[in-house]
Amino acid sequence: MNDIHGSEGLLALIRKMMEEAMRVAEGHGVRIPMTVDERIDIARRLAGAKISMHQDIEKRRPLETDAIVGAVVELARKPESRRR
């Protein structure tokens, strides 16, 4: 978490991805009650914690990118998302 918060470029990318995921959710009628900045502030409090994907890399396990990012992409492509 410290590495993520120490990189303005990475944090900007994460912020954009979170905003896009929230727009997709809203397109399906789901309102996320927390802002991106509130989520980032919570993550800042985790400081030196190792996120699960970091642990997966260390243990040479497959990453969850398809399940996490792929789900947002799949939902964004559904017609319901484009109607709102």
Side-chain angles (χ1 to χ4, degrees):
M1 292 307 298
N2 284 335
D3 291 343
I4 289 171
H5 293 291
S7 170
E8 285 304 316
L10 182 55
L11 200 51
L13 173 64
I14 290 168
R15 180 176 269 110
K16 291 233 180 252
M17 292 173 69
M18 291 172 73
E19 289 167 351
E20 183 174 351
M22 289 175 75
R23 281 192 303 274
V24 170
E26 288 169 4
H28 286 276
V30 177
R31 185 188 168 282
I32 308 297
M34 190 178 294
T35 69
V36 169
D37 287 326
E38 288 170 331
R39 288 186 179 277
I40 289 173
D41 286 342
I42 289 171
R44 275 198 178 97
R45 289 184 235 146
L46 296 175
K50 256 187 217 178
I51 59 175
S52 64
M53 280 196 196
H54 188 162
Q55 294 173 41
D56 290 340
I57 288 170
E58 288 182 337
K59 294 178 181 175
R60 301 192 190 294
R61 293 188 296 222
L63 299 181
E64 305 160 316
T65 50
D66 283 341
I68 296 169
V69 177
V72 175
V73 171
E74 182 180 338
L75 287 169
R77 290 181 175 153
K78 289 187 176 268
E80 301 85 29
S81 181
R82 289 179 279 220
R83 276 192 249 143
R84 295 177 192 252

